[in-house]
Amino acid sequence: MELPKSFKSQGEHKVCKLVKSLYGLKQASRQWNLKLTHALLDARFTQSAHDYSLFFLHQGDDIVIVLAYVDDLLLTGSNATLIDATKTKLHQQFKMKDLGNIKYFLGIEVLSSTSGVILNQRKYVLELISETGLSGSKPTITPLESNVRLTSLKYDQTTGAQGDDLLSDASSYQRLIGKLMYATITRPDISFAIYILSQFMQHPKRSHWEAATRVVRYLKGSIGQGIWLQDKYSTTLTYWCDSDWAACPRRLVIGYAVHFGESLISWKSKKQHTVSRSSAKAE
């Protein structure tokens, strides 16, 4: 940034105080977020305590939800009149463009029908397959091989067999795992495989890379799969959980899935932080 010519003659040791944030500065994104947040709070929206980019407004039995990602807003609700009123309030403070019904958002395709909504990442997965050079490879039917033992040790302490070499470029493995992590948004079936592979981010070996590319080949065989959210009224919340005590001698692996009615809304596969001394305590 340079001073205007009329100010240069007044001294060299002067700075400019910005009245408003400029695009591209470090503070610009923060200032934009504050302005959007204040605008929604002034419109009587409530900011979620679990996700600061999520805002909702209750009016009687109806609700309007606004999800913000940088300068992209996803607006939905149970009442068309409230949705239109929210759009009008936002238009009064920001220059906005209404793109209509959602079809594609942050790499996620939204396919609507009379019986529900399907969320998938078909385009994202196709780009991932192309980037990894596996367009001509054969798909697999499972994310990981059965009874596979991946380790970061130079040799297997159980069998004494020599391990494989480290990858010369660890960043390629790290980027691939990061992209696969994003694919778990609509593909819970690869959550366990990504949990296993993400443990070798610092010093990945060739066997780890081959296991990661196997997950990509598994996605290739089921590109169109995703999350099915049914259009059925339900107040039933079902929670499924399980643990694998034998997978790790020190800490067990847990997994859970939460269904709202018949729709899957939350899932996870991770290693517990605490050490369980018995299978009863583990469950």
Side-chain angles (χ1 to χ4, degrees):
M1 179 178 178
E2 295 182 359
L3 286 171
K5 294 182 179 180
S6 58
F7 286 87
K8 289 184 179 180
S9 59
Q10 299 182 13
E12 297 181 356
H13 305 287
K14 288 191 175 184
V15 297
C16 292
K17 181 179 179 181
L18 297 179
V19 179
K20 60 193 304 185
S21 183
L22 296 178
Y23 182 82
L25 297 180
K26 292 182 178 180
Q27 301 88 350
S29 57
R30 175 60 177 166
Q31 294 300 321
W32 157 249
N33 183 265
L34 288 174
K35 184 175 182 179
L36 178 63
T37 300
H38 290 324
L40 290 171
L41 293 179
D42 291 341
R44 297 184 300 167
F45 275 80
T46 301
Q47 189 174 22
S48 173
H50 305 286
D51 187 350
Y52 292 156
S53 62
L54 182 65
F55 302 84
F56 53 89
L57 171 65
H58 287 282
Q59 195 169 98
D61 295 332
D62 296 317
I63 185 174
V64 178
I65 300 173
V66 176
L67 179 64
Y69 179 78
V70 191
D71 58 350
D72 294 325
L73 301 180
L74 182 61
L75 182 62
T76 186
S78 60
N79 188 301
T81 304
L82 282 178
I83 293 176
D84 292 336
T86 303
K87 290 180 182 179
T88 302
K89 292 179 181 178
L90 291 174
H91 274 293
Q92 291 173 354
Q93 301 195 42
F94 308 104
K95 293 181 179 180
M96 299 178 57
K97 184 178 180 181
D98 190 351
L99 300 178
N101 294 333
I102 181 172
K103 295 181 180 178
Y104 192 80
F105 188 71
L106 301 180
I108 302 174
E109 293 184 58
V110 182
L111 307 175
S112 303
S113 67
T114 55
S115 57
V117 175
I118 297 177
L119 305 178
N120 66 46
Q121 293 170 278
R122 184 176 181 275
K123 182 179 178 182
Y124 179 83
V125 172
L126 287 173
E127 292 176 352
L128 178 59
I129 295 172
S130 177
E131 289 175 4
T132 51
L134 297 174
S135 300
S137 61
K138 184 179 179 180
T140 60
I141 59 175
T142 58
L144 289 176
E145 294 183 19
S146 58
N147 301 321
V148 64
R149 283 184 64 88
L150 297 174
T151 177
S152 58
L153 301 176
K154 294 183 179 179
Y155 65 93
D156 194 329
Q157 294 179 342
T158 304
T159 62
Q162 187 70 25
D164 52 332
D165 297 331
L166 295 174
L167 290 177
S168 58
D169 183 15
S171 61
S172 59
Y173 178 83
Q174 294 166 356
R175 286 193 298 269
L176 178 57
I177 297 302
K179 292 176 181 179
L180 288 172
M181 283 182 179
Y182 191 72
T184 59
I185 294 177
T186 60
R187 297 300 300 267
D189 49 336
I190 65 172
S191 295
F192 177 74
I194 302 307
Y195 145 74
I196 294 292
L197 297 173
S198 62
Q199 299 180 64
F200 310 105
M201 299 284 273
Q202 294 298 324
H203 304 289
K205 300 193 296 184
R206 188 165 300 278
S207 58
H208 304 147
W209 174 261
E210 292 175 355
T213 55
R214 180 185 175 90
V215 178
V216 179
R217 290 191 290 122
Y218 168 75
L219 293 175
K220 183 182 178 182
S222 53
I223 295 177
Q225 289 188 8
I227 300 297
W228 170 243
L229 304 176
Q230 293 191 1
D231 186 16
K232 290 184 179 180
Y233 177 78
S234 176
T235 57
T236 304
L237 195 65
T238 309
Y239 185 92
W240 305 86
C241 62
D242 196 11
S243 61
D244 187 1
W245 172 252
C248 180
R250 296 182 300 275
R251 291 186 293 173
L252 71 150
V253 179
I254 62 170
Y256 68 80
V258 182
H259 285 77
F260 185 65
E262 298 183 7
S263 302
L264 180 65
I265 60 173
S266 180
W267 60 89
K268 198 164 198 177
S269 177
K270 65 173 293 185
K271 186 182 290 183
Q272 278 194 348
H273 297 292
T274 58
V275 178
S276 300
R277 299 183 179 180
S278 66
S279 58
K281 205 178 273 190
E283 297 288 346

